Amino acid sequence: MVISESKAHPTTEEVKRDVLIHHDDVGDDHDHEASQYVSFATRAYPLLEMLRAAQKNGYDVLWGV
């Protein structure tokens, strides 16, 4: 999936349902932070910047869990 394509797609009903499970009818929930939808593009940007910086400076990027 291309990041620009992800911006054209709305949040799925499944994701909305999962978020709403943790909040009441008016969105209040004292055990969780307020719900916030984060797009794929927003999440991918820091990773892409890190990869570009590593490539520019000749560094390796290690991925581990």
Side-chain angles (χ1 to χ4, degrees):
M1 175 185 291
V2 178
I3 293 173
S4 59
E5 289 176 6
S6 73
K7 292 179 181 181
H9 299 285
T11 305
T12 65
E13 289 303 315
E14 183 178 71
V15 170
K16 289 179 185 177
R17 184 180 61 248
D18 288 346
V19 170
L20 292 175
I21 286 173
H22 297 287
H23 300 276
D24 61 19
D25 292 338
V26 293
D28 294 333
D29 187 344
H30 300 291
D31 294 332
H32 297 89
E33 294 182 18
S35 62
Q36 183 179 29
Y37 296 106
V38 180
S39 71
F40 175 76
T42 300
R43 290 178 286 151
Y45 184 79
L47 173 63
L48 292 174
E49 285 301 301
M50 178 187 67
L51 293 173
R52 288 181 185 124
Q55 182 181 31
K56 178 181 176 183
N57 294 301
Y59 295 129
D60 293 330
V61 175
L62 301 177
W63 196 278
V65 290

